[in-house]
Amino acid sequence: MSSQKKSDSIASLDQMAKFTFTKNGIEQTFEFPLLSQTLGPEVIDIRELYTKTGYLTYDPGFTSTASCESSITFVDGEQGLLLHRGYSIQDLANHCDFLEVAYLLLYGEIPNQSQHEKFEENIIVHTMLHEQLINFYQGFRRDAHPMAIMVGVVGALSAFYHDSLDLKDPEQRELASYRLIAKMPSIAAMAYKYSVGQPFMYPRNELKYAENFLHMMFALPSYDYQVNKTVARALNKIFILHADHEQNASTSTVRLAGSSAANPFACIASGIASLWGPAHGGANEAVLNMLKEIGKKERIPEFLNRAKDKTDPFRLMGFGHRIYKNFDPRAVVLKESCHEVLEAVGVKNNPLFELALELERIALQDDYFIEKKLFPNVDFYSGIILQAIGIPLSMFTVLFAVARTVGWVSQWREMIADPVQKIGRPRQRYIGPSQRQFNPVKER
Ligand code: CMC
């Protein structure tokens, strides 16, 4: 225990977990330290498992593996609890501005007024892009998916901002963090403008984060654009609800990429690529496509049967979660918001929303969904709100990426500062051929 690094000993319970392995009739018992968490189950420290026992563990999808220590976000799937630095997602979503939550995730404490203002100033000076970077967009086809543009342009930031690539320098890490958070809405809005052939709109720094994004998305140089406050409030909430979510696929991707000391822009680009998949951030787009395909309430049973049919690859998009097994607290906040937003933007009796509610009602009474604990997740409602506020379908996952950048950056910084951190290098269970005789091509 004494040889362990500082951050472990803080959490050590001074207790050991005992395991007995029997191989070839010989029984051996090994002990491994038990570590506590502030919240959540105890953790067995198996770092010495292989050297002590010669065994590896097999855990595809990391269902039982904690890949790191973190003090940023806590999720309890049974209770439907999501906390950022100890604050509930409901409180944050209902009372905060997005940059307030960004500060909390980055620095661990909720900012006071002057800290908030200073932070906002630090961010907004970086909202513009290097002019040469803007030329980068011309290399994409007009019909490129905006997520493809995001992966490319965010990765390219490392070719433009050489003064924020040195990971060992805390000031450079800070600068890279500001740049990523500030530039992401600009990069995202430009991806959209490019796809519709409209001129890029420069940021307006007197606007709040979500407002500025709406301005860059929807304003045109030829007329005066006023941001709709209700829409901006809804978007602010959506950004907060997507800001971080513990060690999900894209965050783990960012951490793994960063563990090799890759630069922060490259790491965040890798997170965007991972988020794109329909099992992760791409689900909000997939939900809308699915609702359109279902089309009318009468067809819901047909699609539910398909979702239950193991020979059919179709899954009910926006349903299910690796961790949440009762409800997704983000979905609860968004469901409430849905009514409010649809009313405020004058889209009462939205047929897709009605269809979504009916689908939810029927699925939640279905034995298959009850037994497997499948509930609507955050993507089920976010798509409907985004559609109601005029965000095009192909931009849904992009908005998720804009918001999640704050989480990725916070988790990346935490990893870099962690004394226990080392390059991520999972092992495998090899099931290929054992070593065999090689014959030159003429002899085969
Ligand atoms: N529709 C039908 N069956 C489902 C669904 C679904 N949406 N989700 C899970 N199942 C079934 C699955 O077939 C499996 O059945 P069985 O035990 O008979 O093999 C069981 O439920 C457990 O599912 P799993 O795939 O082992 O669970 P997982 O934790 O690996 O996957 C998930 C979680 C979110 C990828 C999955 O539920 C899914 O594909 N949902 C639809 C896509 C979606 O909405 N994704 C957004 C997730 S939330 C936002 C985010 O994190 O990005």
Side-chain angles (χ1 to χ4, degrees), residues 372-416:
K372 297 195 184 301
K373 299 186 171 183
L374 301 171
F375 293 83
N377 58 49
V378 67
D379 292 312
F380 192 67
Y381 291 105
S382 67
I384 296 162
I385 299 188
L386 290 175
Q387 201 215 24
I389 64 177
I391 304 288
L393 196 58
S394 63
M395 288 295 289
F396 286 10
T397 313
V398 174
L399 264 75
F400 194 157
V402 169
R404 184 56 59 86
T405 295
V406 164
W408 291 330
V409 168
S410 305
Q411 300 265 354
W412 169 80
R413 288 159 60 106
E414 182 177 62
M415 180 197 66
I416 300 287

mmCIF file of all heavy atoms in Angstrom, residues 372-416:
data_model
loop_
_atom_site.group_PDB
_atom_site.id
_atom_site.type_symbol
_atom_site.label_atom_id
_atom_site.label_comp_id
_atom_site.label_asym_id
_atom_site.label_seq_id
_atom_site.Cartn_x
_atom_site.Cartn_y
_atom_site.Cartn_z
ATOM 1 N N LYS A 372 -36.132 -5.081 -19.715
ATOM 2 C CA LYS A 372 -34.758 -4.673 -20.037
ATOM 3 C C LYS A 372 -34.434 -3.268 -19.523
ATOM 4 O O LYS A 372 -33.337 -2.744 -19.765
ATOM 5 C CB LYS A 372 -34.534 -4.733 -21.552
ATOM 6 C CG LYS A 372 -34.670 -6.147 -22.096
ATOM 7 C CD LYS A 372 -34.107 -6.292 -23.479
ATOM 8 C CE LYS A 372 -34.345 -7.680 -24.051
ATOM 9 N NZ LYS A 372 -33.766 -8.765 -23.261
ATOM 10 N N LYS A 373 -35.395 -2.677 -18.807
ATOM 11 C CA LYS A 373 -35.196 -1.350 -18.211
ATOM 12 C C LYS A 373 -34.786 -0.324 -19.261
ATOM 13 O O LYS A 373 -33.772 0.368 -19.125
ATOM 14 C CB LYS A 373 -34.177 -1.415 -17.071
ATOM 15 C CG LYS A 373 -34.626 -2.336 -15.951
ATOM 16 C CD LYS A 373 -33.683 -2.257 -14.782
ATOM 17 C CE LYS A 373 -34.278 -3.029 -13.603
ATOM 18 N NZ LYS A 373 -33.511 -2.976 -12.415
ATOM 19 N N LEU A 374 -35.558 -0.262 -20.313
ATOM 20 C CA LEU A 374 -35.266 0.676 -21.404
ATOM 21 C C LEU A 374 -36.211 1.879 -21.302
ATOM 22 O O LEU A 374 -37.420 1.726 -21.406
ATOM 23 C CB LEU A 374 -35.435 -0.021 -22.766
ATOM 24 C CG LEU A 374 -34.544 -1.247 -22.993
ATOM 25 C CD1 LEU A 374 -34.945 -1.984 -24.258
ATOM 26 C CD2 LEU A 374 -33.084 -0.826 -23.067
ATOM 27 N N PHE A 375 -35.632 3.040 -21.080
ATOM 28 C CA PHE A 375 -36.394 4.273 -20.904
ATOM 29 C C PHE A 375 -35.915 5.304 -21.923
ATOM 30 O O PHE A 375 -34.813 5.185 -22.456
ATOM 31 C CB PHE A 375 -36.184 4.824 -19.496
ATOM 32 C CG PHE A 375 -36.772 3.949 -18.432
ATOM 33 C CD1 PHE A 375 -36.076 2.850 -17.948
ATOM 34 C CD2 PHE A 375 -38.043 4.213 -17.932
ATOM 35 C CE1 PHE A 375 -36.622 2.025 -16.984
ATOM 36 C CE2 PHE A 375 -38.592 3.390 -16.967
ATOM 37 C CZ PHE A 375 -37.885 2.300 -16.491
ATOM 38 N N PRO A 376 -36.723 6.350 -22.167
ATOM 39 C CA PRO A 376 -36.237 7.383 -23.090
ATOM 40 C C PRO A 376 -34.983 8.041 -22.528
ATOM 41 O O PRO A 376 -34.904 8.305 -21.330
ATOM 42 C CB PRO A 376 -37.388 8.402 -23.141
ATOM 43 C CG PRO A 376 -38.560 7.740 -22.545
ATOM 44 C CD PRO A 376 -38.068 6.659 -21.643
ATOM 45 N N ASN A 377 -34.008 8.254 -23.380
ATOM 46 C CA ASN A 377 -32.790 8.952 -22.941
ATOM 47 C C ASN A 377 -32.813 10.400 -23.452
ATOM 48 O O ASN A 377 -33.777 10.828 -24.089
ATOM 49 C CB ASN A 377 -31.540 8.186 -23.395
ATOM 50 C CG ASN A 377 -31.495 8.010 -24.900
ATOM 51 O OD1 ASN A 377 -31.678 8.959 -25.648
ATOM 52 N ND2 ASN A 377 -31.260 6.779 -25.352
ATOM 53 N N VAL A 378 -31.740 11.131 -23.181
ATOM 54 C CA VAL A 378 -31.702 12.569 -23.490
ATOM 55 C C VAL A 378 -31.993 12.856 -24.962
ATOM 56 O O VAL A 378 -32.616 13.862 -25.302
ATOM 57 C CB VAL A 378 -30.326 13.163 -23.069
ATOM 58 C CG1 VAL A 378 -29.186 12.608 -23.911
ATOM 59 C CG2 VAL A 378 -30.319 14.665 -23.086
ATOM 60 N N ASP A 379 -31.587 11.941 -25.825
ATOM 61 C CA ASP A 379 -31.738 12.200 -27.261
ATOM 62 C C ASP A 379 -33.177 12.102 -27.727
ATOM 63 O O ASP A 379 -33.523 12.605 -28.790
ATOM 64 C CB ASP A 379 -30.875 11.219 -28.061
ATOM 65 C CG ASP A 379 -29.404 11.488 -27.844
ATOM 66 O OD1 ASP A 379 -29.019 12.653 -27.945
ATOM 67 O OD2 ASP A 379 -28.659 10.546 -27.551
ATOM 68 N N PHE A 380 -34.004 11.423 -26.939
ATOM 69 C CA PHE A 380 -35.393 11.231 -27.365
ATOM 70 C C PHE A 380 -36.110 12.580 -27.495
ATOM 71 O O PHE A 380 -36.859 12.810 -28.439
ATOM 72 C CB PHE A 380 -36.113 10.317 -26.361
ATOM 73 C CG PHE A 380 -37.447 9.824 -26.868
ATOM 74 C CD1 PHE A 380 -37.501 8.953 -27.939
ATOM 75 C CD2 PHE A 380 -38.628 10.241 -26.286
ATOM 76 C CE1 PHE A 380 -38.716 8.501 -28.424
ATOM 77 C CE2 PHE A 380 -39.847 9.797 -26.750
ATOM 78 C CZ PHE A 380 -39.897 8.915 -27.825
ATOM 79 N N TYR A 381 -35.865 13.480 -26.534
ATOM 80 C CA TYR A 381 -36.570 14.769 -26.580
ATOM 81 C C TYR A 381 -35.751 15.903 -27.189
ATOM 82 O O TYR A 381 -36.312 16.863 -27.713
ATOM 83 C CB TYR A 381 -37.039 15.162 -25.176
ATOM 84 C CG TYR A 381 -38.131 14.254 -24.691
ATOM 85 C CD1 TYR A 381 -37.882 13.278 -23.745
ATOM 86 C CD2 TYR A 381 -39.400 14.335 -25.247
ATOM 87 C CE1 TYR A 381 -38.869 12.407 -23.348
ATOM 88 C CE2 TYR A 381 -40.398 13.460 -24.855
ATOM 89 C CZ TYR A 381 -40.130 12.507 -23.911
ATOM 90 O OH TYR A 381 -41.110 11.652 -23.532
ATOM 91 N N SER A 382 -34.429 15.792 -27.108
ATOM 92 C CA SER A 382 -33.627 16.918 -27.600
ATOM 93 C C SER A 382 -33.874 17.153 -29.086
ATOM 94 O O SER A 382 -33.960 18.286 -29.552
ATOM 95 C CB SER A 382 -32.136 16.709 -27.316
ATOM 96 O OG SER A 382 -31.636 15.641 -28.074
ATOM 97 N N GLY A 383 -34.025 16.061 -29.833
ATOM 98 C CA GLY A 383 -34.260 16.198 -31.268
ATOM 99 C C GLY A 383 -35.522 16.994 -31.569
ATOM 100 O O GLY A 383 -35.550 17.833 -32.480
ATOM 101 N N ILE A 384 -36.567 16.734 -30.776
ATOM 102 C CA ILE A 384 -37.850 17.418 -31.036
ATOM 103 C C ILE A 384 -37.718 18.916 -30.746
ATOM 104 O O ILE A 384 -38.195 19.763 -31.510
ATOM 105 C CB ILE A 384 -38.966 16.784 -30.173
ATOM 106 C CG1 ILE A 384 -39.153 15.334 -30.626
ATOM 107 C CG2 ILE A 384 -40.269 17.548 -30.290
ATOM 108 C CD1 ILE A 384 -39.863 14.476 -29.642
ATOM 109 N N ILE A 385 -37.023 19.245 -29.654
ATOM 110 C CA ILE A 385 -36.827 20.672 -29.331
ATOM 111 C C ILE A 385 -35.973 21.323 -30.406
ATOM 112 O O ILE A 385 -36.291 22.410 -30.900
ATOM 113 C CB ILE A 385 -36.165 20.851 -27.949
ATOM 114 C CG1 ILE A 385 -37.058 20.261 -26.871
ATOM 115 C CG2 ILE A 385 -35.866 22.321 -27.671
ATOM 116 C CD1 ILE A 385 -36.627 20.544 -25.463
ATOM 117 N N LEU A 386 -34.903 20.670 -30.777
ATOM 118 C CA LEU A 386 -34.004 21.273 -31.772
ATOM 119 C C LEU A 386 -34.759 21.509 -33.079
ATOM 120 O O LEU A 386 -34.587 22.544 -33.737
ATOM 121 C CB LEU A 386 -32.782 20.374 -32.000
ATOM 122 C CG LEU A 386 -31.797 20.295 -30.828
ATOM 123 C CD1 LEU A 386 -30.693 19.285 -31.103
ATOM 124 C CD2 LEU A 386 -31.180 21.666 -30.534
ATOM 125 N N GLN A 387 -35.605 20.565 -33.434
ATOM 126 C CA GLN A 387 -36.364 20.746 -34.672
ATOM 127 C C GLN A 387 -37.326 21.930 -34.535
ATOM 128 O O GLN A 387 -37.438 22.754 -35.433
ATOM 129 C CB GLN A 387 -37.136 19.461 -34.980
ATOM 130 C CG GLN A 387 -37.498 19.384 -36.440
ATOM 131 C CD GLN A 387 -38.843 18.717 -36.662
ATOM 132 O OE1 GLN A 387 -39.707 18.696 -35.784
ATOM 133 N NE2 GLN A 387 -39.009 18.190 -37.851
ATOM 134 N N ALA A 388 -37.968 22.012 -33.362
ATOM 135 C CA ALA A 388 -38.939 23.099 -33.147
ATOM 136 C C ALA A 388 -38.272 24.469 -33.183
ATOM 137 O O ALA A 388 -38.891 25.457 -33.589
ATOM 138 C CB ALA A 388 -39.652 22.894 -31.808
ATOM 139 N N ILE A 389 -37.003 24.546 -32.767
ATOM 140 C CA ILE A 389 -36.357 25.862 -32.777
ATOM 141 C C ILE A 389 -35.586 26.108 -34.080
ATOM 142 O O ILE A 389 -34.800 27.036 -34.189
ATOM 143 C CB ILE A 389 -35.458 26.089 -31.527
ATOM 144 C CG1 ILE A 389 -34.282 25.109 -31.487
ATOM 145 C CG2 ILE A 389 -36.268 26.017 -30.250
ATOM 146 C CD1 ILE A 389 -33.329 25.348 -30.308
ATOM 147 N N GLY A 390 -35.827 25.252 -35.053
ATOM 148 C CA GLY A 390 -35.337 25.524 -36.402
ATOM 149 C C GLY A 390 -33.937 25.027 -36.705
ATOM 150 O O GLY A 390 -33.335 25.399 -37.707
ATOM 151 N N ILE A 391 -33.402 24.151 -35.831
ATOM 152 C CA ILE A 391 -32.059 23.610 -36.103
ATOM 153 C C ILE A 391 -32.207 22.468 -37.118
ATOM 154 O O ILE A 391 -32.989 21.546 -36.896
ATOM 155 C CB ILE A 391 -31.400 23.067 -34.804
ATOM 156 C CG1 ILE A 391 -31.342 24.136 -33.712
ATOM 157 C CG2 ILE A 391 -30.024 22.470 -35.092
ATOM 158 C CD1 ILE A 391 -30.359 25.246 -33.911
ATOM 159 N N PRO A 392 -31.462 22.519 -38.220
ATOM 160 C CA PRO A 392 -31.595 21.433 -39.192
ATOM 161 C C PRO A 392 -31.080 20.105 -38.638
ATOM 162 O O PRO A 392 -30.158 20.071 -37.815
ATOM 163 C CB PRO A 392 -30.735 21.893 -40.381
ATOM 164 C CG PRO A 392 -30.008 23.093 -39.939
ATOM 165 C CD PRO A 392 -30.514 23.553 -38.628
ATOM 166 N N LEU A 393 -31.695 19.034 -39.118
ATOM 167 C CA LEU A 393 -31.420 17.687 -38.614
ATOM 168 C C LEU A 393 -29.919 17.348 -38.579
ATOM 169 O O LEU A 393 -29.413 16.807 -37.602
ATOM 170 C CB LEU A 393 -32.147 16.695 -39.537
ATOM 171 C CG LEU A 393 -32.354 15.284 -39.065
ATOM 172 C CD1 LEU A 393 -33.138 15.258 -37.771
ATOM 173 C CD2 LEU A 393 -33.082 14.473 -40.125
ATOM 174 N N SER A 394 -29.226 17.700 -39.652
ATOM 175 C CA SER A 394 -27.805 17.310 -39.737
ATOM 176 C C SER A 394 -26.952 18.040 -38.702
ATOM 177 O O SER A 394 -25.794 17.683 -38.484
ATOM 178 C CB SER A 394 -27.265 17.598 -41.138
ATOM 179 O OG SER A 394 -27.317 18.993 -41.378
ATOM 180 N N MET A 395 -27.524 19.062 -38.053
ATOM 181 C CA MET A 395 -26.761 19.826 -37.053
ATOM 182 C C MET A 395 -27.000 19.332 -35.625
ATOM 183 O O MET A 395 -26.357 19.805 -34.690
ATOM 184 C CB MET A 395 -27.127 21.311 -37.132
ATOM 185 C CG MET A 395 -26.587 22.019 -38.347
ATOM 186 S SD MET A 395 -24.774 22.085 -38.356
ATOM 187 C CE MET A 395 -24.475 23.257 -37.044
ATOM 188 N N PHE A 396 -27.915 18.376 -35.446
ATOM 189 C CA PHE A 396 -28.249 17.951 -34.083
ATOM 190 C C PHE A 396 -27.011 17.445 -33.326
ATOM 191 O O PHE A 396 -26.740 17.844 -32.202
ATOM 192 C CB PHE A 396 -29.291 16.821 -34.101
ATOM 193 C CG PHE A 396 -30.686 17.266 -34.442
ATOM 194 C CD1 PHE A 396 -30.955 18.549 -34.908
ATOM 195 C CD2 PHE A 396 -31.752 16.393 -34.295
ATOM 196 C CE1 PHE A 396 -32.239 18.939 -35.223
ATOM 197 C CE2 PHE A 396 -33.037 16.774 -34.597
ATOM 198 C CZ PHE A 396 -33.289 18.045 -35.064
ATOM 199 N N THR A 397 -26.287 16.533 -33.956
ATOM 200 C CA THR A 397 -25.132 15.948 -33.266
ATOM 201 C C THR A 397 -24.017 16.983 -33.119
ATOM 202 O O THR A 397 -23.229 16.949 -32.167
ATOM 203 C CB THR A 397 -24.641 14.690 -34.020
ATOM 204 O OG1 THR A 397 -25.783 13.884 -34.313
ATOM 205 C CG2 THR A 397 -23.679 13.879 -33.187
ATOM 206 N N VAL A 398 -23.983 17.925 -34.050
ATOM 207 C CA VAL A 398 -22.984 18.997 -33.973
ATOM 208 C C VAL A 398 -23.222 19.823 -32.699
ATOM 209 O O VAL A 398 -22.278 20.186 -31.991
ATOM 210 C CB VAL A 398 -23.063 19.902 -35.230
ATOM 211 C CG1 VAL A 398 -22.135 21.082 -35.099
ATOM 212 C CG2 VAL A 398 -22.751 19.089 -36.477
ATOM 213 N N LEU A 399 -24.487 20.098 -32.397
ATOM 214 C CA LEU A 399 -24.784 20.853 -31.176
ATOM 215 C C LEU A 399 -24.365 20.074 -29.932
ATOM 216 O O LEU A 399 -23.883 20.653 -28.955
ATOM 217 C CB LEU A 399 -26.284 21.184 -31.108
ATOM 218 C CG LEU A 399 -26.602 22.570 -31.644
ATOM 219 C CD1 LEU A 399 -26.528 22.596 -33.152
ATOM 220 C CD2 LEU A 399 -27.952 23.022 -31.179
ATOM 221 N N PHE A 400 -24.563 18.782 -29.984
ATOM 222 C CA PHE A 400 -24.118 17.914 -28.887
ATOM 223 C C PHE A 400 -22.599 18.080 -28.729
ATOM 224 O O PHE A 400 -22.075 18.245 -27.613
ATOM 225 C CB PHE A 400 -24.506 16.469 -29.239
ATOM 226 C CG PHE A 400 -24.445 15.455 -28.120
ATOM 227 C CD1 PHE A 400 -25.210 14.287 -28.194
ATOM 228 C CD2 PHE A 400 -23.647 15.633 -27.001
ATOM 229 C CE1 PHE A 400 -25.166 13.331 -27.191
ATOM 230 C CE2 PHE A 400 -23.600 14.681 -25.987
ATOM 231 C CZ PHE A 400 -24.354 13.529 -26.098
ATOM 232 N N ALA A 401 -21.888 18.090 -29.855
ATOM 233 C CA ALA A 401 -20.422 18.219 -29.810
ATOM 234 C C ALA A 401 -20.003 19.580 -29.243
ATOM 235 O O ALA A 401 -19.043 19.674 -28.474
ATOM 236 C CB ALA A 401 -19.831 18.023 -31.203
ATOM 237 N N VAL A 402 -20.731 20.629 -29.605
ATOM 238 C CA VAL A 402 -20.416 21.972 -29.094
ATOM 239 C C VAL A 402 -20.500 21.948 -27.560
ATOM 240 O O VAL A 402 -19.589 22.389 -26.860
ATOM 241 C CB VAL A 402 -21.393 23.029 -29.673
ATOM 242 C CG1 VAL A 402 -21.246 24.360 -28.940
ATOM 243 C CG2 VAL A 402 -21.149 23.210 -31.178
ATOM 244 N N ALA A 403 -21.606 21.408 -27.060
ATOM 245 C CA ALA A 403 -21.800 21.380 -25.603
ATOM 246 C C ALA A 403 -20.798 20.453 -24.922
ATOM 247 O O ALA A 403 -20.209 20.797 -23.896
ATOM 248 C CB ALA A 403 -23.221 20.914 -25.292
ATOM 249 N N ARG A 404 -20.594 19.272 -25.485
ATOM 250 C CA ARG A 404 -19.755 18.261 -24.829
ATOM 251 C C ARG A 404 -18.276 18.661 -24.823
ATOM 252 O O ARG A 404 -17.479 18.130 -24.037
ATOM 253 C CB ARG A 404 -19.986 16.901 -25.494
ATOM 254 C CG ARG A 404 -19.275 15.708 -24.900
ATOM 255 C CD ARG A 404 -19.565 15.494 -23.412
ATOM 256 N NE ARG A 404 -20.956 15.304 -23.054
ATOM 257 C CZ ARG A 404 -21.608 14.142 -23.063
ATOM 258 N NH1 ARG A 404 -20.989 13.048 -23.424
ATOM 259 N NH2 ARG A 404 -22.886 14.071 -22.685
ATOM 260 N N THR A 405 -17.906 19.611 -25.667
ATOM 261 C CA THR A 405 -16.509 20.066 -25.690
ATOM 262 C C THR A 405 -16.054 20.503 -24.293
ATOM 263 O O THR A 405 -14.922 20.236 -23.880
ATOM 264 C CB THR A 405 -16.364 21.233 -26.691
ATOM 265 O OG1 THR A 405 -16.641 20.700 -27.988
ATOM 266 C CG2 THR A 405 -14.970 21.833 -26.682
ATOM 267 N N VAL A 406 -16.949 21.135 -23.558
ATOM 268 C CA VAL A 406 -16.616 21.575 -22.198
ATOM 269 C C VAL A 406 -16.280 20.367 -21.314
ATOM 270 O O VAL A 406 -15.310 20.388 -20.551
ATOM 271 C CB VAL A 406 -17.821 22.364 -21.617
ATOM 272 C CG1 VAL A 406 -17.706 22.516 -20.125
ATOM 273 C CG2 VAL A 406 -17.942 23.695 -22.303
ATOM 274 N N GLY A 407 -17.073 19.313 -21.444
ATOM 275 C CA GLY A 407 -16.810 18.097 -20.674
ATOM 276 C C GLY A 407 -15.511 17.437 -21.117
ATOM 277 O O GLY A 407 -14.689 17.040 -20.297
ATOM 278 N N TRP A 408 -15.340 17.323 -22.431
ATOM 279 C CA TRP A 408 -14.113 16.696 -22.944
ATOM 280 C C TRP A 408 -12.877 17.448 -22.448
ATOM 281 O O TRP A 408 -11.910 16.836 -21.994
ATOM 282 C CB TRP A 408 -14.102 16.705 -24.477
ATOM 283 C CG TRP A 408 -15.101 15.799 -25.123
ATOM 284 C CD1 TRP A 408 -15.603 14.620 -24.631
ATOM 285 C CD2 TRP A 408 -15.733 15.983 -26.402
ATOM 286 N NE1 TRP A 408 -16.487 14.072 -25.533
ATOM 287 C CE2 TRP A 408 -16.586 14.889 -26.615
ATOM 288 C CE3 TRP A 408 -15.658 16.975 -27.389
ATOM 289 C CZ2 TRP A 408 -17.355 14.745 -27.771
ATOM 290 C CZ3 TRP A 408 -16.417 16.840 -28.542
ATOM 291 C CH2 TRP A 408 -17.256 15.742 -28.722
ATOM 292 N N VAL A 409 -12.938 18.780 -22.542
ATOM 293 C CA VAL A 409 -11.781 19.591 -22.141
ATOM 294 C C VAL A 409 -11.523 19.425 -20.633
ATOM 295 O O VAL A 409 -10.382 19.266 -20.198
ATOM 296 C CB VAL A 409 -11.997 21.078 -22.525
ATOM 297 C CG1 VAL A 409 -10.957 21.969 -21.871
ATOM 298 C CG2 VAL A 409 -11.965 21.251 -24.044
ATOM 299 N N SER A 410 -12.584 19.428 -19.840
ATOM 300 C CA SER A 410 -12.428 19.282 -18.383
ATOM 301 C C SER A 410 -11.809 17.926 -18.042
ATOM 302 O O SER A 410 -10.921 17.816 -17.192
ATOM 303 C CB SER A 410 -13.777 19.393 -17.665
ATOM 304 O OG SER A 410 -14.417 20.583 -18.012
ATOM 305 N N GLN A 411 -12.292 16.892 -18.714
ATOM 306 C CA GLN A 411 -11.794 15.537 -18.436
ATOM 307 C C GLN A 411 -10.352 15.389 -18.921
ATOM 308 O O GLN A 411 -9.531 14.728 -18.272
ATOM 309 C CB GLN A 411 -12.692 14.506 -19.141
ATOM 310 C CG GLN A 411 -14.141 14.552 -18.690
ATOM 311 C CD GLN A 411 -14.497 13.578 -17.586
ATOM 312 O OE1 GLN A 411 -13.671 12.751 -17.193
ATOM 313 N NE2 GLN A 411 -15.704 13.674 -17.069
ATOM 314 N N TRP A 412 -10.048 16.007 -20.051
ATOM 315 C CA TRP A 412 -8.679 15.957 -20.582
ATOM 316 C C TRP A 412 -7.717 16.652 -19.618
ATOM 317 O O TRP A 412 -6.642 16.132 -19.313
ATOM 318 C CB TRP A 412 -8.675 16.623 -21.968
ATOM 319 C CG TRP A 412 -7.318 16.887 -22.522
ATOM 320 C CD1 TRP A 412 -6.500 15.987 -23.140
ATOM 321 C CD2 TRP A 412 -6.615 18.146 -22.503
ATOM 322 N NE1 TRP A 412 -5.331 16.610 -23.511
ATOM 323 C CE2 TRP A 412 -5.384 17.931 -23.133
ATOM 324 C CE3 TRP A 412 -6.917 19.430 -22.037
ATOM 325 C CZ2 TRP A 412 -4.435 18.947 -23.289
ATOM 326 C CZ3 TRP A 412 -5.986 20.439 -22.191
ATOM 327 C CH2 TRP A 412 -4.759 20.197 -22.814
ATOM 328 N N ARG A 413 -8.132 17.817 -19.090
ATOM 329 C CA ARG A 413 -7.269 18.550 -18.152
ATOM 330 C C ARG A 413 -7.062 17.735 -16.878
ATOM 331 O O ARG A 413 -5.965 17.686 -16.321
ATOM 332 C CB ARG A 413 -7.930 19.892 -17.787
ATOM 333 C CG ARG A 413 -7.911 20.901 -18.895
ATOM 334 C CD ARG A 413 -8.980 21.950 -18.673
ATOM 335 N NE ARG A 413 -8.816 22.687 -17.443
ATOM 336 C CZ ARG A 413 -8.392 23.945 -17.362
ATOM 337 N NH1 ARG A 413 -8.096 24.601 -18.462
ATOM 338 N NH2 ARG A 413 -8.292 24.547 -16.207
ATOM 339 N N GLU A 414 -8.143 17.122 -16.400
ATOM 340 C CA GLU A 414 -8.033 16.322 -15.182
ATOM 341 C C GLU A 414 -7.044 15.173 -15.400
ATOM 342 O O GLU A 414 -6.213 14.869 -14.536
ATOM 343 C CB GLU A 414 -9.412 15.753 -14.810
ATOM 344 C CG GLU A 414 -9.408 14.946 -13.531
ATOM 345 C CD GLU A 414 -10.801 14.453 -13.152
ATOM 346 O OE1 GLU A 414 -11.382 13.681 -13.934
ATOM 347 O OE2 GLU A 414 -11.317 14.830 -12.110
ATOM 348 N N MET A 415 -7.128 14.552 -16.587
ATOM 349 C CA MET A 415 -6.234 13.431 -16.884
ATOM 350 C C MET A 415 -4.768 13.876 -16.926
ATOM 351 O O MET A 415 -3.896 13.223 -16.349
ATOM 352 C CB MET A 415 -6.609 12.818 -18.234
ATOM 353 C CG MET A 415 -5.737 11.654 -18.601
ATOM 354 S SD MET A 415 -5.840 11.273 -20.340
ATOM 355 C CE MET A 415 -5.101 12.726 -21.038
ATOM 356 N N ILE A 416 -4.526 15.007 -17.600
ATOM 357 C CA ILE A 416 -3.135 15.484 -17.730
ATOM 358 C C ILE A 416 -2.540 15.793 -16.345
ATOM 359 O O ILE A 416 -1.369 15.564 -16.094
ATOM 360 C CB ILE A 416 -3.079 16.764 -18.615
ATOM 361 C CG1 ILE A 416 -3.620 16.482 -20.024
ATOM 362 C CG2 ILE A 416 -1.674 17.368 -18.656
ATOM 363 C CD1 ILE A 416 -2.734 15.661 -20.910
#
